[in-house]
mmCIF file of all heavy atoms in Angstrom:
data_model
loop_
_atom_site.group_PDB
_atom_site.id
_atom_site.type_symbol
_atom_site.label_atom_id
_atom_site.label_comp_id
_atom_site.label_asym_id
_atom_site.label_seq_id
_atom_site.Cartn_x
_atom_site.Cartn_y
_atom_site.Cartn_z
ATOM 1 N N ALA A 263 -1.535 62.816 72.792
ATOM 2 C CA ALA A 263 -1.671 62.742 71.327
ATOM 3 C C ALA A 263 -1.108 64.006 70.709
ATOM 4 O O ALA A 263 -1.075 65.069 71.301
ATOM 5 C CB ALA A 263 -3.118 62.559 70.944
ATOM 6 N N THR A 264 -0.679 63.840 69.459
ATOM 7 C CA THR A 264 -0.237 64.950 68.668
ATOM 8 C C THR A 264 -0.912 64.892 67.325
ATOM 9 O O THR A 264 -1.335 63.848 66.886
ATOM 10 C CB THR A 264 1.309 64.925 68.451
ATOM 11 O OG1 THR A 264 1.623 63.717 67.772
ATOM 12 C CG2 THR A 264 2.060 65.015 69.754
ATOM 13 N N ARG A 265 -0.981 66.010 66.684
ATOM 14 C CA ARG A 265 -1.636 66.073 65.364
ATOM 15 C C ARG A 265 -0.679 66.718 64.372
ATOM 16 O O ARG A 265 -0.152 67.787 64.616
ATOM 17 C CB ARG A 265 -2.934 66.872 65.434
ATOM 18 C CG ARG A 265 -3.685 66.864 64.135
ATOM 19 C CD ARG A 265 -5.028 67.502 64.316
ATOM 20 N NE ARG A 265 -5.778 67.325 63.096
ATOM 21 C CZ ARG A 265 -7.011 67.693 62.942
ATOM 22 N NH1 ARG A 265 -7.646 68.224 63.942
ATOM 23 N NH2 ARG A 265 -7.606 67.502 61.803
ATOM 24 N N ASN A 266 -0.464 66.038 63.287
ATOM 25 C CA ASN A 266 0.367 66.546 62.218
ATOM 26 C C ASN A 266 -0.440 67.537 61.418
ATOM 27 O O ASN A 266 -1.512 67.216 60.932
ATOM 28 C CB ASN A 266 0.841 65.393 61.347
ATOM 29 C CG ASN A 266 1.793 65.803 60.275
ATOM 30 O OD1 ASN A 266 1.928 66.993 59.980
ATOM 31 N ND2 ASN A 266 2.453 64.829 59.687
ATOM 32 N N THR A 267 0.083 68.729 61.259
ATOM 33 C CA THR A 267 -0.683 69.729 60.531
ATOM 34 C C THR A 267 -0.448 69.687 59.031
ATOM 35 O O THR A 267 -1.114 70.343 58.283
ATOM 36 C CB THR A 267 -0.350 71.137 61.031
ATOM 37 O OG1 THR A 267 1.061 71.353 60.918
ATOM 38 C CG2 THR A 267 -0.785 71.340 62.473
ATOM 39 N N GLN A 268 0.516 68.879 58.589
ATOM 40 C CA GLN A 268 0.741 68.740 57.166
ATOM 41 C C GLN A 268 -0.317 67.842 56.537
ATOM 42 O O GLN A 268 -0.663 66.822 57.100
ATOM 43 C CB GLN A 268 2.107 68.121 56.892
ATOM 44 C CG GLN A 268 3.256 68.985 57.340
ATOM 45 C CD GLN A 268 4.587 68.266 57.068
ATOM 46 O OE1 GLN A 268 4.644 67.047 56.930
ATOM 47 N NE2 GLN A 268 5.630 69.060 57.046
ATOM 48 N N SER A 269 -0.837 68.252 55.419
ATOM 49 C CA SER A 269 -1.807 67.388 54.729
ATOM 50 C C SER A 269 -1.055 66.374 53.878
ATOM 51 O O SER A 269 -0.143 66.702 53.130
ATOM 52 C CB SER A 269 -2.701 68.237 53.815
ATOM 53 O OG SER A 269 -3.516 69.059 54.610
ATOM 54 N N SER A 270 -1.463 65.137 53.995
ATOM 55 C CA SER A 270 -0.926 64.071 53.157
ATOM 56 C C SER A 270 -1.914 62.927 53.163
ATOM 57 O O SER A 270 -2.723 62.777 54.069
ATOM 58 C CB SER A 270 0.432 63.603 53.656
ATOM 59 O OG SER A 270 0.285 63.029 54.929
ATOM 60 N N LEU A 271 -1.876 62.145 52.118
ATOM 61 C CA LEU A 271 -2.774 61.006 52.058
ATOM 62 C C LEU A 271 -2.196 59.838 52.826
ATOM 63 O O LEU A 271 -0.965 59.723 52.913
ATOM 64 C CB LEU A 271 -2.981 60.589 50.591
ATOM 65 C CG LEU A 271 -3.768 61.556 49.735
ATOM 66 C CD1 LEU A 271 -3.763 61.089 48.282
ATOM 67 C CD2 LEU A 271 -5.199 61.680 50.225
ATOM 68 N N PRO A 272 -3.013 58.993 53.390
ATOM 69 C CA PRO A 272 -2.517 57.844 54.111
ATOM 70 C C PRO A 272 -1.695 56.978 53.135
ATOM 71 O O PRO A 272 -2.053 56.820 51.976
ATOM 72 C CB PRO A 272 -3.771 57.099 54.523
ATOM 73 C CG PRO A 272 -4.830 58.147 54.543
ATOM 74 C CD PRO A 272 -4.464 59.093 53.453
ATOM 75 N N TYR A 273 -0.591 56.425 53.618
ATOM 76 C CA TYR A 273 0.318 55.698 52.780
ATOM 77 C C TYR A 273 0.539 54.313 53.370
ATOM 78 O O TYR A 273 0.737 54.144 54.560
ATOM 79 C CB TYR A 273 1.651 56.438 52.750
ATOM 80 C CG TYR A 273 2.672 55.806 51.876
ATOM 81 C CD1 TYR A 273 2.642 55.970 50.496
ATOM 82 C CD2 TYR A 273 3.703 55.027 52.414
ATOM 83 C CE1 TYR A 273 3.601 55.401 49.682
ATOM 84 C CE2 TYR A 273 4.646 54.447 51.614
ATOM 85 C CZ TYR A 273 4.586 54.650 50.232
ATOM 86 O OH TYR A 273 5.531 54.065 49.426
ATOM 87 N N SER A 274 0.481 53.298 52.538
ATOM 88 C CA SER A 274 0.754 51.938 52.957
ATOM 89 C C SER A 274 2.208 51.592 52.666
ATOM 90 O O SER A 274 2.598 51.539 51.492
ATOM 91 C CB SER A 274 -0.161 50.974 52.234
ATOM 92 O OG SER A 274 0.266 49.648 52.429
ATOM 93 N N ALA A 275 2.988 51.339 53.701
ATOM 94 C CA ALA A 275 4.390 50.981 53.507
ATOM 95 C C ALA A 275 4.489 49.647 52.787
ATOM 96 O O ALA A 275 5.463 49.352 52.115
ATOM 97 C CB ALA A 275 5.106 50.924 54.835
ATOM 98 N N ASN A 276 3.502 48.806 52.960
ATOM 99 C CA ASN A 276 3.515 47.474 52.369
ATOM 100 C C ASN A 276 3.374 47.523 50.842
ATOM 101 O O ASN A 276 4.094 46.822 50.131
ATOM 102 C CB ASN A 276 2.400 46.612 52.969
ATOM 103 C CG ASN A 276 2.519 45.179 52.630
ATOM 104 O OD1 ASN A 276 3.639 44.639 52.546
ATOM 105 N ND2 ASN A 276 1.409 44.506 52.446
ATOM 106 N N SER A 277 2.483 48.337 50.337
ATOM 107 C CA SER A 277 2.219 48.307 48.908
ATOM 108 C C SER A 277 2.760 49.533 48.169
ATOM 109 O O SER A 277 2.842 49.519 46.969
ATOM 110 C CB SER A 277 0.701 48.245 48.665
ATOM 111 O OG SER A 277 0.104 49.435 49.165
#
Side-chain angles (χ1 to χ4, degrees):
T264 60
R265 185 173 187 175
N266 183 345
T267 57
Q268 296 178 340
S269 292
S270 64
L271 291 174
Y273 182 78
S274 168
N276 191 35
S277 65

